[in-house]
Amino acid sequence: MRLLLPASLVVLLSCGMLLPLAAPAQTKPITTNTKARNLWEKAQAQAKDRDFTKAIETLTQLNQKFPSLGEPYLLKGSLLKAMGDNRPAFEAYRMGISKIPLDPTRASDYYALGELAMSFGEYATAADSYRKYLKTAPKSNRNGPRVQRQLLNCEFAQKAMASPTGPQPERLGEPLNTFRFQYFPALTADSRFLLFTGRPAADSGEDLFISRFAKEGTIGAPVPISPAINTPYNEGAGTIAGDGKTLVFASCDRPNSVGNCDLYISRRTGNSWSKPQNLGRNVNSPEWDSQPTLSADGRTLYFTSTRRGGRGQEDIYVTTLGADGNWSPARNLGEPVNTSGKDMAPFIHASGTTLYYVTDGLVGMGGLDVYRCEQQAANKWSIPQNLGYPLNTFENEASLFISSDNRRGFCSRSRAAEAGVKQERDRPVELFSFEVPQAVRARETSTYTQGRVFDAITKKPIAADVQLYDLNTDELVQYVASDSENGEYTVVLNEGRQYAMYAAANKYLMKSLSFDYSDKRAFDPLTLDIYLEPVRSGRSIVLNNLFFDTNQFELKPKSRTELNRLIAFMKQYPDVQVEISGHTDDVGSDEDNLTLSQNRAKAVYSYLVGQGVKAPRLRFRGYGETKPLNPNDSDQHRQQNRRIEFRIL
């Protein structure tokens, strides 16, 4: 049975028959003591006959009766390691090495102790053992490059543990962590729903579960996400878009799959999830594809793949959803994100500007560590930075998720070994939470606006496209759809940006909204219901993203987003005629305000005509201060009265 449990948590141990079973042959007796020598020869014979348990019992007698002898400890360590009992093996190796002077014939033992010490975070012991290995191993030894890297890891880890980046993650209490394995936590942008993969037992399949946070912060019991999603096949490693309406997950060995594990997509309407669809050959490969993460609007997908042509065994890839509804051919993220090692479990923050992932291809704490890198330009990422201790430890880290507001993080970790549980893959995996340290946060903090879209006349919910543009770059940064059943939508906003947001549906006037977070004002979530006016004579909208300097009528460059939307509207409805009307507040003389409003309306008219809209379809008029929306009794009301309107004739 293939599992979607992160490979970082599935340790494929070699069969004991393939591991070294005895200490190197002795060039001279380990002792002249007859009783000790007899026990030593007995243990060697038992090991040769593959009776490891008896051999370890004999070696334990030697340890107890002749504790100064190092060789019995080393043979015992070798046998325990072959049996997968690594903690006692580490202790035996450490005792044995401490009792024997530096010996060129013991290079393999120094290496074994170094590797075991690293697996338990015993960095001082590991570094000492690796240095002894370099002193005693042949110059052409194959482990030399790895040992040099491990020494760098030891140095990094010791410094990181001396300067923690934040508090230890805390295990989440009930009703979570009730399965034996739970991992890959993910939140919606509003932090209302927690998605994760659950597996009740080591021999059971994986399913996706959802828990809901109440307003007071408590969390509900996990429930299966949907019978449309969870099946007798494994479903796991899920990711959910910011609005909670798009789900991508991995599943293995399904009929008509592209590879052994593929990515599938499902969309939610109301409370129902659609039948999952394979993302197809542009995304999936004949190899293993898993561990997806979606951008906030569900239109950019990062994932892990073992397909051919990568830099390492696992690499991170990206694909985007086109206007035609098809996903682009997956592209390797390349350097510096992907390395010659394992690069896995990507997570793109809701802001879209910071990527987190695990890799063993960079210097860290040893094994798989979590790193962060920032998007500098299209297809270009900064040098990955290790998140430090305690988010990274000597163990293999699995995945990490950080809320849109940069305050709370989630991860999964293996529980300390229980009695009788020797192999890491059998250790329970649990969900943890932590307060996000400043150094770990995404480059940009996000919030969201959330609400429903209605018909302004019937007050019924409608399906609409909700698009978010960065006004400084005229870039479409998010594109979501409101729910056709209940009209719900969620859009993520980043601090430091100025946005234009548009809600539009067929046969309706678009709604123009403006959000300015370019300064450090309150950055709280918004609840905003939107009412769309039908394209009908007499209906009008306020154009909230046209900008002028004070008392000026020249359109500022960031107005182009709104102007281009108007052009698209006029092309969509070629028979529509409109009036562009200018309005002001009551500051200044009536005559000056009338002239200013007239000139501003004309500026919009001239732009549209200059871009190909036929002049007979347009007219412009200035109304000055004669048609205020609100009393001119506050700065906010005056600002609302200074406007350009777009009215159907």
Side-chain angles (χ1 to χ4, degrees), residues 533-549:
E533 298 279 356
V535 178
R536 187 182 304 171
S537 178
R539 297 293 174 176
S540 65
I541 57 171
V542 175
L543 302 174
N544 287 305
N545 295 291
L546 297 178
F547 303 95
F548 305 89
D549 286 328

Side-chain angles (χ1 to χ4, degrees), residues 365-577:
M365 305 282 288
L368 289 159
D369 277 10
V370 187
Y371 293 76
R372 70 183 292 280
C373 53
E374 299 177 356
Q375 191 166 33
Q376 298 176 321
N379 305 329
K380 184 174 177 60
W381 296 89
S382 66
I383 299 298
Q385 300 296 315
N386 191 291
L387 296 193
Y389 177 83
L391 293 180
N392 287 319
T393 67
F394 64 89
E395 299 209 63
N396 286 320
E397 308 306 330
S399 64
L400 175 139
F401 188 98
I402 293 175
S403 62
S404 59
D405 62 8
N406 261 333
R407 295 177 182 175
R408 192 175 187 188
F410 295 86
C411 61
S412 54
R413 288 190 164 178
S414 297
R415 193 194 305 166
E418 301 171 334
V421 178
K422 296 180 181 180
Q423 297 190 10
E424 185 180 348
R425 63 183 174 184
D426 295 327
R427 291 164 54 190
V429 181
E430 298 175 318
L431 298 175
F432 286 72
S433 179
F434 59 93
E435 181 181 339
V436 183
Q438 185 66 43
V440 172
R441 293 178 180 178
R443 184 178 72 200
E444 295 178 352
T445 295
S446 301
T447 189
Y448 58 90
T449 181
Q450 188 174 71
R452 299 202 290 168
V453 183
F454 298 96
D455 182 304
I457 306 299
T458 67
K459 303 300 188 289
K460 292 182 179 180
I462 56 176
D465 293 331
V466 183
Q467 296 182 334
L468 191 71
Y469 285 82
D470 185 322
L471 283 172
N472 291 316
T473 63
D474 192 28
E475 177 188 5
L476 176 63
V477 292
Q478 274 192 72
Y479 184 0
V480 301
S482 64
D483 193 296
S484 60
E485 287 190 10
N486 55 35
E488 290 180 349
Y489 77 94
T490 300
V491 170
V492 172
L493 309 165
N494 292 350
E495 65 179 350
R497 306 282 188 95
Q498 187 175 8
Y499 293 107
M501 190 173 89
Y502 302 98
N506 190 36
K507 298 183 180 180
Y508 288 88
L509 282 165
M510 71 177 185
K511 185 74 171 182
S512 166
L513 300 161
S514 186
F515 302 95
D516 189 355
Y517 294 118
S518 54
D519 59 19
K520 293 296 183 181
R521 296 183 301 176
F523 193 56
D524 298 321
L526 298 173
T527 299
L528 184 63
D529 289 340
I530 299 172
Y531 293 84
L532 297 185
E533 298 279 356
V535 178
R536 187 182 304 171
S537 178
R539 297 293 174 176
S540 65
I541 57 171
V542 175
L543 302 174
N544 287 305
N545 295 291
L546 297 178
F547 303 95
F548 305 89
D549 286 328
T550 303
N551 294 324
Q552 301 297 313
F553 55 84
E554 182 179 351
L555 286 159
K556 300 182 74 170
K558 61 184 177 182
S559 302
R560 64 188 181 276
T561 299
E562 190 106 312
L563 294 166
N564 291 336
R565 291 287 307 212
L566 296 178
I567 293 169
F569 176 87
M570 298 300 289
K571 289 180 179 179
Q572 183 179 358
Y573 301 99
D575 297 328
V576 166
Q577 296 182 348

